[in-house]
């Protein structure tokens, strides 16, 4: 590719034929259409604002029309931008592990949970976050798919669009078992590890999560909430500290 390097492999996300490149191209080309639609919506808001002002006998009738038109236009812009920004990880513009890690620390640290990032057992797949706290242990990984990819479970099997999700679920489930076995062996504390995958892009079912093949996929903002929802206390402070120190010592940084 012109301007590229023969020594550095091109990232498909930035190549001219990638789905990410086309998504950004079409989104920018549709800007004028979104602006026209926004103007129409704002005009409707203006009319509704005037109608409400007249209905309730308010003064400065045009001002209420302009105010509602502004609110409608701003809301429409925010929804469009949020939809585009939600694909940032998939487009390679943001790092999913950084986003999820920040959310986990902000929500869980004050509740006694420890978060270790980028860990692996030699010869096993690495994971982005290991969470240890009163409610147990969780592995949290990050992934993204194109916005139109439907993430669903049928008959206990995971699907990404028309593709099976076993090749995504199996390595995470195996890694969780290996982590749990190692921690149990080294600490003497029997543990199991729950697997969650933060889906930064893709179409999840209503409710924002799906569980199949031993893992739960959910929106990043729901991960910490799901962990906090575990009301049963299975580990005390000493066990949490022991497991955290052991994991930090025995697990490699990936």
């Amino acid at each position: 590719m012109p301007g590229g390097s023969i020594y550095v492999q091109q990232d498909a996300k930035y190549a001219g034929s990638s789905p990410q490149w086309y998504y950004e191209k079409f989104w920018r080309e549709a800007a004028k259409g979104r602006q026209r639609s926004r103007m129409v919506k704002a005009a409707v808001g203006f009319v509704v604002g005037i109608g409400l002002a007249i209905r309730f006998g308010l003064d400065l009738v045009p001002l209420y029309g302009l105010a509602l038109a502004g609110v409608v236009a701003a809301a429409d812009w925010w929804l469009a931008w949020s939809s585009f920004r939600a694909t940032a990880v998939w487009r390679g513009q943001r790092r999913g592990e950084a986003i999820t890690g920040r959310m986990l620390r902000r929500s869980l640290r004050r509740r006694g949970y420890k978060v270790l990032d980028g860990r692996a057992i030699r010869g096993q797949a690495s994971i982005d976050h290991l969470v240890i706290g009163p409610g147990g242990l969780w592995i949290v990984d990050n992934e993204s798919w194109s916005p139109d990819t439907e993430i669903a479970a049928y008959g206990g099997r995971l699907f990404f669009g028309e593709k099976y999700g076993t090749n995504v679920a199996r390595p995470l489930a195996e890694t969780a078992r290996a982590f749990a076995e190692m921690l149990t062996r080294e600490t003497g504390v029997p543990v199991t590890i729950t697997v969650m995958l933060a889906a930064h892009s893709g179409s999840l079912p209503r409710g924002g999560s799906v569980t199949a093949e031993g893992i739960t996929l959910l929106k990043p903002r729901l991960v910490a909430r799901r962990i906090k929802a575990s009301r049963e206390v299975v580990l005390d402070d000493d066990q949490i500290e022991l497991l955290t120190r052991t994991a930090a010592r025995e697990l490699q940084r990936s």
Side-chain angles (χ1 to χ4, degrees), residues 116-135:
L116 301 178
D117 296 323
R119 301 290 165 165
I121 296 177
R122 188 176 286 104
Q124 296 283 342
S126 63
I127 55 93
D128 292 331
H129 317 283
L130 175 63
V131 180
I132 305 171

Side-chain angles (χ1 to χ4, degrees), residues 66-148:
L66 289 172
L68 188 55
V71 169
V72 170
D76 185 71
W77 175 87
W78 184 84
L79 289 172
W81 174 246
S82 296
S83 176
F84 181 70
R85 191 170 184 269
T87 66
V89 174
W90 175 66
R91 291 183 289 109
Q93 302 301 307
R94 301 182 72 192
R95 295 174 56 210
E97 62 271 23
I99 296 170
T100 303
R102 186 166 54 250
M103 290 179 177
L104 290 172
R105 287 179 174 80
R106 186 182 302 156
S107 299
L108 298 177
R109 271 185 170 174
R110 62 179 178 270
R111 293 176 177 265
Y113 286 83
K114 309 291 186 180
V115 181
L116 301 178
D117 296 323
R119 301 290 165 165
I121 296 177
R122 188 176 286 104
Q124 296 283 342
S126 63
I127 55 93
D128 292 331
H129 317 283
L130 175 63
V131 180
I132 305 171
L137 286 81
W138 289 262
I139 276 178
V140 182
D141 219 38
N142 296 272
E143 191 53 84
S144 61
W145 293 267
S146 61
D148 59 346

Side-chain angles (χ1 to χ4, degrees), residues 4-113:
S5 169
I6 62 173
Y7 303 107
V8 179
Q9 186 176 1
Q10 288 278 337
D11 188 331
K13 290 185 175 65
Y14 306 107
S17 59
S18 70
Q20 291 87 348
W21 186 87
Y22 278 113
Y23 180 86
E24 290 193 21
K25 178 177 182 289
F26 294 146
W27 193 84
R28 291 189 170 90
E29 288 176 349
K32 290 185 178 180
R34 289 194 300 273
Q35 291 169 359
R36 286 193 294 269
S37 175
R38 189 169 301 132
M39 290 176 64
V40 171
K41 294 174 183 176
V44 172
F46 178 77
V47 172
V48 171
I50 287 180
L52 289 173
I54 294 173
R55 169 68 177 78
F56 293 102
L58 303 174
D59 296 329
L60 302 174
V61 171
L63 184 62
Y64 288 96
L66 289 172
L68 188 55
V71 169
V72 170
D76 185 71
W77 175 87
W78 184 84
L79 289 172
W81 174 246
S82 296
S83 176
F84 181 70
R85 191 170 184 269
T87 66
V89 174
W90 175 66
R91 291 183 289 109
Q93 302 301 307
R94 301 182 72 192
R95 295 174 56 210
E97 62 271 23
I99 296 170
T100 303
R102 186 166 54 250
M103 290 179 177
L104 290 172
R105 287 179 174 80
R106 186 182 302 156
S107 299
L108 298 177
R109 271 185 170 174
R110 62 179 178 270
R111 293 176 177 265
Y113 286 83

Side-chain angles (χ1 to χ4, degrees), residues 119-121 123-128 139 141 143 158 160 164-179 193 195-197 212-215:
R119 301 290 165 165
I121 296 177
Q124 296 283 342
S126 63
I127 55 93
D128 292 331
I139 276 178
D141 219 38
E143 191 53 84
L158 185 63
F160 301 111
Y164 291 120
T166 303
N167 62 336
V168 172
R170 182 183 294 140
L172 288 172
E174 291 175 350
T175 299
R177 284 193 292 271
F179 276 30
I193 299 179
V195 183
M196 291 196 287
L197 182 58
E213 300 193 45
I215 71 171

